[in-house]
Amino acid sequence: MSFTSFLLVMVLMFAPNTSRLSASRGYIGLARLVHPRHNKWASDLVQKDPEAAIVLFWKAINAGDRVDSALKDMAIIMKQQERAEEAIEAVKSFRHLCSKQAQESLNNVLIDLYKKCGRVDEQIELLKERLRMIYQGEAFNGKPTKTARSHGKKFQVTIKQETSRILGNLGWAYMQKENYKAAEVVYRKAQQIDPDANKACNLCLCMIKQARFTEARIEIDEILQGKLSGSDEPKSRNRAEALLRELDTCQPASSLTLPGLNLEDAFIEGLDQLITQQAPYRSRRLPIFEEISSFRDQLAC
């Protein structure tokens, strides 16, 4: 008996009125059973045969059964199965079937998928959109906090923490574009909101890429002295020590030209559009946009 057939048998065993259950209804009930968040049995099934689970999630989506969770869970499993590009198309094609409340969560899934596929420009645009939503009060469906899950545990995330997280992701995306000045501005703002050791390491790397070694050492010292959240975590401390060793080999340069030092006008205009599109009665810029603009003006002098 195939794994899928076995799952169908399980549905028929537990579903009411099994004699009148159609094949499509069987798949719908099966899709409900395999949602990993519902029970440990379901989680074990997904781990045992993820490809079969993907098929079942497709069945649920096509049947309109719990599409919010089916689409998200399927995309996550596809990413794990190295089918991230396919997952992106699935989310973009079927998200219109999901509730308004699910859109924010789907955006987070897309951001991870874009990062996985190296589609940095699309990742940046979606991160900007997330910042706009926070500014407009649309994040977390208008609530001040949301419940998140990590390693099976639930915890509360505040708007402040989410803003810093998104800015950190945006900074990393600019690092991939070798736009270190833009990355620096975004990281500094993120650290002002909710500082931690991981973003400090990334900010240090920005400084190294710009041959600003003294400033880089300041960021590393904050971690090694235990002044930042996460400084005591082995991963962060090991990375900080590795960056310090790299700094020890760096020599000051009298003049250095690096790609990405200038903030392009398109970057500023793109950020402005996030505010002007749906905020006609509020300031046209977020504070972070004002800070980035000031850096551009300084560079233009």
Side-chain angles (χ1 to χ4, degrees), residues 3-4 24-25 29 44 69 75 81-83 101 110 117 160 166 169 171 180 217 222 240 283:
F3 181 73
T4 303
S24 62
R25 289 281 294 171
D44 291 341
S69 54
Q81 296 301 111
E82 303 298 331
R83 295 169 61 180
Q101 290 73 22
L110 271 179
C117 296
K160 177 181 175 181
I166 293 172
N169 288 340
Y180 302 119
R217 284 184 182 275
E222 292 277 304
S283 170

Short mmCIF file of all heavy atoms in Angstrom, two decimals, residues 3-4 24-25 29 44 69 75 81-83 101 110 117 160 166 169 171 180 217 222 240 283:
data_model
loop_
_atom_site.label_atom_id
_atom_site.label_comp_id
_atom_site.label_asym_id
_atom_site.label_seq_id
_atom_site.Cartn_x
_atom_site.Cartn_y
_atom_site.Cartn_z
N PHE A 3 1.99 5.24 0.55
CA PHE A 3 1.82 6.12 1.71
C PHE A 3 0.53 6.94 1.58
O PHE A 3 -0.23 7.09 2.55
CB PHE A 3 3.02 7.06 1.82
CG PHE A 3 2.95 8.01 2.97
CD1 PHE A 3 3.15 7.56 4.27
CD2 PHE A 3 2.67 9.35 2.77
CE1 PHE A 3 3.10 8.43 5.34
CE2 PHE A 3 2.60 10.22 3.84
CZ PHE A 3 2.82 9.76 5.12
N THR A 4 0.27 7.46 0.36
CA THR A 4 -0.95 8.25 0.16
C THR A 4 -2.19 7.40 0.39
O THR A 4 -3.16 7.85 1.02
CB THR A 4 -0.97 8.83 -1.26
OG1 THR A 4 0.21 9.61 -1.46
CG2 THR A 4 -2.19 9.71 -1.47
N SER A 24 -12.80 13.12 -3.33
CA SER A 24 -12.34 14.49 -3.09
C SER A 24 -12.52 14.88 -1.65
O SER A 24 -11.68 15.54 -1.04
CB SER A 24 -13.09 15.48 -3.99
OG SER A 24 -14.48 15.46 -3.71
N ARG A 25 -13.63 14.48 -1.04
CA ARG A 25 -13.85 14.77 0.37
C ARG A 25 -12.80 14.06 1.22
O ARG A 25 -12.36 14.57 2.24
CB ARG A 25 -15.25 14.33 0.79
CG ARG A 25 -16.37 15.18 0.22
CD ARG A 25 -16.51 16.46 1.00
NE ARG A 25 -16.95 16.21 2.37
CZ ARG A 25 -16.98 17.12 3.31
NH1 ARG A 25 -16.56 18.33 3.03
NH2 ARG A 25 -17.41 16.83 4.51
N GLY A 29 -10.40 15.90 3.98
CA GLY A 29 -10.18 15.49 5.36
C GLY A 29 -8.74 15.13 5.62
O GLY A 29 -8.18 15.42 6.68
N ASP A 44 4.63 13.96 12.09
CA ASP A 44 5.42 12.78 11.73
C ASP A 44 5.16 12.36 10.29
O ASP A 44 6.08 11.94 9.57
CB ASP A 44 5.08 11.63 12.68
CG ASP A 44 5.58 11.89 14.10
OD1 ASP A 44 6.46 12.75 14.26
OD2 ASP A 44 5.08 11.24 15.03
N SER A 69 -3.83 28.00 5.84
CA SER A 69 -2.75 27.18 6.39
C SER A 69 -2.20 26.19 5.38
O SER A 69 -1.01 25.89 5.38
CB SER A 69 -3.23 26.44 7.65
OG SER A 69 -4.39 25.69 7.37
N ALA A 75 4.10 25.71 1.07
CA ALA A 75 5.25 26.50 0.62
C ALA A 75 6.48 26.23 1.48
O ALA A 75 7.60 26.12 0.98
CB ALA A 75 4.90 27.99 0.65
N GLN A 81 12.21 21.10 0.49
CA GLN A 81 12.47 20.09 -0.55
C GLN A 81 13.19 20.67 -1.76
O GLN A 81 13.22 20.07 -2.83
CB GLN A 81 11.15 19.45 -1.00
CG GLN A 81 10.43 18.66 0.08
CD GLN A 81 11.27 17.52 0.60
OE1 GLN A 81 11.70 17.55 1.74
NE2 GLN A 81 11.51 16.52 -0.21
N GLU A 82 13.78 21.87 -1.59
CA GLU A 82 14.50 22.55 -2.67
C GLU A 82 13.59 22.85 -3.87
O GLU A 82 14.01 22.78 -5.02
CB GLU A 82 15.72 21.72 -3.12
CG GLU A 82 16.70 21.40 -2.01
CD GLU A 82 17.32 22.66 -1.40
OE1 GLU A 82 17.44 23.67 -2.12
OE2 GLU A 82 17.67 22.62 -0.20
N ARG A 83 12.35 23.21 -3.56
CA ARG A 83 11.39 23.59 -4.61
C ARG A 83 10.88 25.01 -4.34
O ARG A 83 9.71 25.30 -4.47
CB ARG A 83 10.23 22.58 -4.63
CG ARG A 83 10.64 21.18 -5.03
CD ARG A 83 9.54 20.15 -4.78
NE ARG A 83 8.33 20.43 -5.53
CZ ARG A 83 7.22 19.68 -5.48
NH1 ARG A 83 7.21 18.60 -4.71
NH2 ARG A 83 6.15 19.99 -6.17
N GLN A 101 -6.42 38.19 6.86
CA GLN A 101 -5.56 37.98 8.02
C GLN A 101 -4.33 37.14 7.69
O GLN A 101 -3.32 37.22 8.37
CB GLN A 101 -6.35 37.28 9.14
CG GLN A 101 -7.41 38.14 9.80
CD GLN A 101 -8.64 38.36 8.92
OE1 GLN A 101 -8.89 37.57 8.00
NE2 GLN A 101 -9.41 39.41 9.20
N LEU A 110 7.01 34.51 1.63
CA LEU A 110 7.60 34.94 0.35
C LEU A 110 8.98 35.55 0.54
O LEU A 110 9.89 35.30 -0.26
CB LEU A 110 6.68 35.94 -0.34
CG LEU A 110 5.61 35.39 -1.28
CD1 LEU A 110 4.77 36.53 -1.86
CD2 LEU A 110 6.21 34.56 -2.40
N CYS A 117 16.07 31.85 -2.96
CA CYS A 117 16.31 31.79 -4.40
C CYS A 117 17.27 32.87 -4.89
O CYS A 117 17.57 32.93 -6.09
CB CYS A 117 14.99 31.92 -5.15
SG CYS A 117 13.84 30.57 -4.86
N LYS A 160 7.64 46.87 17.76
CA LYS A 160 9.02 47.35 17.84
C LYS A 160 10.01 46.26 17.42
O LYS A 160 10.91 46.49 16.61
CB LYS A 160 9.30 47.80 19.27
CG LYS A 160 10.73 48.26 19.53
CD LYS A 160 10.89 48.66 20.99
CE LYS A 160 12.34 49.02 21.32
NZ LYS A 160 12.50 49.38 22.75
N ILE A 166 12.63 43.41 10.51
CA ILE A 166 12.49 43.69 9.08
C ILE A 166 13.63 44.58 8.58
O ILE A 166 14.19 44.35 7.50
CB ILE A 166 11.12 44.34 8.80
CG1 ILE A 166 10.01 43.33 9.07
CG2 ILE A 166 11.04 44.82 7.35
CD1 ILE A 166 8.62 43.94 9.01
N ASN A 169 16.64 42.45 8.12
CA ASN A 169 16.57 41.68 6.87
C ASN A 169 16.83 42.58 5.66
O ASN A 169 17.47 42.16 4.69
CB ASN A 169 15.19 41.03 6.75
CG ASN A 169 15.01 39.88 7.71
OD1 ASN A 169 15.98 39.32 8.22
ND2 ASN A 169 13.76 39.51 7.98
N GLY A 171 18.67 45.29 5.67
CA GLY A 171 20.10 45.57 5.67
C GLY A 171 20.90 44.45 5.05
O GLY A 171 21.81 44.67 4.25
N TYR A 180 26.71 48.94 0.66
CA TYR A 180 27.05 48.90 2.08
C TYR A 180 26.61 50.15 2.83
O TYR A 180 26.32 50.08 4.03
CB TYR A 180 28.55 48.67 2.24
CG TYR A 180 29.01 47.40 1.59
CD1 TYR A 180 29.95 47.41 0.55
CD2 TYR A 180 28.48 46.16 1.97
CE1 TYR A 180 30.36 46.24 -0.06
CE2 TYR A 180 28.88 44.98 1.36
CZ TYR A 180 29.81 45.02 0.34
OH TYR A 180 30.21 43.86 -0.29
N ARG A 217 35.48 47.99 15.03
CA ARG A 217 35.92 47.47 16.33
C ARG A 217 34.97 47.89 17.44
O ARG A 217 34.75 47.14 18.40
CB ARG A 217 37.33 47.97 16.64
CG ARG A 217 38.42 47.26 15.86
CD ARG A 217 39.80 47.71 16.28
NE ARG A 217 40.81 47.04 15.48
CZ ARG A 217 41.32 45.84 15.76
NH1 ARG A 217 40.87 45.18 16.83
NH2 ARG A 217 42.24 45.29 15.00
N GLU A 222 31.15 45.88 21.64
CA GLU A 222 29.83 45.84 22.29
C GLU A 222 29.39 44.39 22.54
O GLU A 222 28.79 44.07 23.57
CB GLU A 222 28.80 46.54 21.40
CG GLU A 222 28.99 48.04 21.28
CD GLU A 222 28.38 48.79 22.43
OE1 GLU A 222 27.16 48.63 22.68
OE2 GLU A 222 29.12 49.54 23.11
N ALA A 240 31.62 37.09 16.24
CA ALA A 240 32.29 38.32 16.64
C ALA A 240 33.80 38.11 16.72
O ALA A 240 34.59 38.97 16.27
CB ALA A 240 31.75 38.81 17.98
N SER A 283 3.10 62.45 7.54
CA SER A 283 4.41 62.83 7.03
C SER A 283 4.76 61.96 5.83
O SER A 283 4.49 60.76 5.81
CB SER A 283 5.45 62.65 8.13
OG SER A 283 6.75 62.79 7.61
#
